[in-house]
Amino acid sequence: ELLLLALGKLLEEAAAQAVSGETQRQSFPEYGSAATLIFADFSEFACSEDGATVAVLLEAISKVVSLRLAPRSQKRSTFEAALLQGRGPFLLLPLLQAPLSFSEPAARC
C-alpha cells in the first residue's frame, strides 16, 4: 500500500505539471474521495528523474503483485484489500496508455 501511495503522489505531481488541456480526470465518488483516474501526457515526465522513480516503483509493485496474488498465497485477501485501499486500479489503469516504461509494469499489475 505504501508503494501505491508514493506512486500516487508522484503521478499527481506529474499531472499538475502537464498542460491543463492535456490532463483529464474521471472521479468515482462511490469508491471514495480519492477514487480518480488521471489521464495525462506523461511523455516528458517519463524522461525525468521522477519519471525514472515511477518506473522503478511500478516494477516493484508488479513484482509484489505477482508474488502476493499467486494462487497459493495465504495473504492474498489481505493484499487485495491493500491494493484497493491504495487506489491501485485508479493509478494503474491510466498508465496503460503512458510511455512504455510505465505501461509494461502497469500491465503486469
Side-chain angles (χ1 to χ4, degrees):
E1 183 181 348
L2 291 176
L3 289 174
L4 289 169
L5 293 174
L7 176 66
K9 270 295 208 201
L10 286 168
L11 291 177
E12 284 283 343
E13 184 178 309
Q17 293 174 7
V19 177
S20 62
E22 297 176 8
T23 302
Q24 295 180 3
R25 295 173 185 268
Q26 176 65 46
S27 295
F28 296 87
E30 62 271 20
Y31 294 105
S33 61
T36 302
L37 295 171
I38 302 171
F39 295 94
D41 181 4
F42 290 118
S43 56
E44 287 183 30
F45 178 70
C47 298
S48 70
E49 188 175 327
D50 285 344
T53 302
V54 166
V56 169
L57 277 172
L58 283 167
E59 283 293 334
I61 291 168
S62 72
K63 290 180 193 258
V64 169
V65 167
S66 69
L67 291 173
R68 295 290 187 182
L69 294 183
R72 297 177 188 207
S73 176
Q74 296 177 353
K75 297 181 179 181
R76 182 182 174 120
S77 61
T78 304
F79 186 75
E80 285 174 345
L83 186 66
L84 292 174
Q85 188 174 357
R87 302 185 308 146
F90 298 101
L91 295 173
L92 299 171
L93 286 174
L95 292 178
L96 296 176
Q97 299 180 50
L100 198 57
S101 61
F102 296 166
S103 61
E104 280 187 341
R108 285 193 296 269
C109 291

